[in-house]
Amino acid sequence: MLSKIKVIAFDADDTLWVNETFFRKAEEDFCELVSKYLSKEEANKLLFEVEMQNLDLYGYGIKPFTLSLIEAALRITNGNLNAKLVETLIANGKQMLQEPVELIDGIEETLQYLSKKYRLVMATKGDLLDQERKLIKSGLEKYFHHIEIVSNKTEKQYKKLVDHLDIDESEFLMIGNSLKSDVIPVLNIGAHAYHIPFHTTWAHEVHNGTIDNPNFKSLDSSKELLEFL
């Protein structure tokens, strides 16, 4: 079956480079900033609720996350949010946008090898400016035939990408760290999907069910791809 693969798509955040670690650090800082109002568990829960309520309106990324931090802080303080705290939350968001890009171990060697045999695509969701910034800083842009940055990853979006690449679904393989975003919708359109977990996963991306599909594999690292491809 793998002999039919023509295009391999890679998720970006936590597949090509480290990302989720910065969000978890920002959440910890937020909980500390509002600790006199709520416990860490309560503050985290409220923040997640605000993020979920805003997701359809704001989408994914650091800027939407920062807006949700401010809104959550407003709720926690019953509207009595002081300017200094707002300034701190905005500064923390800006710092996240300026963090250096740390590549996932072994990913560049894997891309370098695979790019000689396949068309490679970066298929990710999130803020356009931020994802473009990270791609340029990463030095990985040269390995990709096509870049796809979308507001969300759905079956419709994957089908649109496959059609744009002028291939059949059976000729497409997606690699990513999220079962919910990078694997399940891809398998549902009849394509292949491999899961490479990252040590930290956002609660919204967690999928607790099992996956029984011949087009699916779970790997420990990107280097294992070379054993199959």
Side-chain angles (χ1 to χ4, degrees):
M1 295 172 66
L2 292 177
S3 62
K4 297 176 65 176
I5 298 297
K6 292 182 179 178
V7 175
I8 304 175
F10 285 82
D11 171 52
D13 293 336
D14 302 314
T15 299
L16 300 179
W17 49 68
V18 173
N19 179 69
E20 193 60 25
T21 305
F22 302 125
F23 283 85
R24 299 291 76 78
K25 173 65 166 56
E27 287 179 356
E28 291 178 7
D29 291 344
F30 173 78
C31 291
E32 181 63 30
L33 287 168
V34 300
S35 59
K36 70 177 182 179
Y37 300 97
L38 287 179
S39 68
K40 179 179 179 180
E41 292 73 20
E42 292 171 320
N44 253 326
K45 181 181 178 182
L46 189 145
L47 174 59
F48 184 70
E49 289 173 357
V50 172
E51 287 183 271
M52 293 303 98
Q53 290 165 8
N54 290 336
L55 203 53
D56 289 340
L57 186 62
Y58 294 161
Y60 297 84
I62 293 170
K63 284 178 278 187
F65 175 67
T66 302
L67 287 173
S68 291
L69 287 175
I70 295 171
E71 184 177 340
L74 275 168
R75 292 193 193 183
I76 290 171
T77 60
N78 293 316
N80 296 315
L81 185 59
N82 65 65
K84 185 63 177 177
L85 182 52
V86 175
E87 185 180 328
T88 300
L89 294 174
I90 292 174
N92 289 349
K94 287 182 176 179
Q95 179 59 41
M96 291 175 70
L97 289 167
Q98 299 174 69
E99 291 288 354
V101 176
E102 178 186 348
L103 297 183
I104 300 294
D105 184 46
I107 192 64
E108 182 163 15
E109 295 85 349
T110 299
L111 294 177
Q112 187 176 32
Y113 177 81
L114 294 177
S115 64
K116 298 173 183 176
K117 300 180 64 179
Y118 303 91
R119 278 190 288 165
L120 301 188
V121 170
M122 188 185 91
T124 191
K125 64 184 178 185
D127 179 74
L128 178 62
L129 278 176
D130 188 35
Q131 296 294 42
E132 287 182 337
R133 173 191 65 84
K134 287 185 285 191
L135 177 59
I136 292 169
K137 280 190 172 183
S138 73
L140 301 178
E141 188 176 10
K142 60 182 176 283
Y143 300 114
F144 293 108
H145 165 81
H146 176 73
I147 308 298
E148 190 83 5
I149 302 173
V150 296
S151 59
N152 200 3
K153 288 178 172 177
T154 62
E155 292 177 29
K156 182 179 179 181
Q157 288 287 0
Y158 281 115
K159 184 68 172 65
K160 184 179 177 181
L161 174 59
V162 168
D163 290 343
H164 174 76
L165 295 167
D166 195 26
I167 57 172
D168 187 78
E169 288 85 352
S170 63
E171 298 170 323
F172 180 79
L173 168 62
M174 180 70 193
I175 312 292
N177 69 294
S178 171
L179 290 171
K180 187 174 180 180
S181 295
D182 303 319
V183 172
I184 294 173
V186 177
L187 296 176
N188 287 343
I189 68 168
H192 300 258
Y194 288 2
H195 181 229
I196 303 177
F198 188 65
H199 60 77
T200 303
T201 303
W202 184 29
H204 178 63
E205 296 291 346
V206 172
H207 174 77
N208 293 317
T210 58
I211 297 177
D212 183 15
N213 189 304
N215 291 351
F216 170 73
K217 289 186 189 299
S218 183
L219 309 177
D220 291 326
S221 73
S222 63
K223 294 177 183 177
E224 287 187 51
L225 287 170
L226 306 184
E227 299 176 18
F228 303 102
L229 301 167

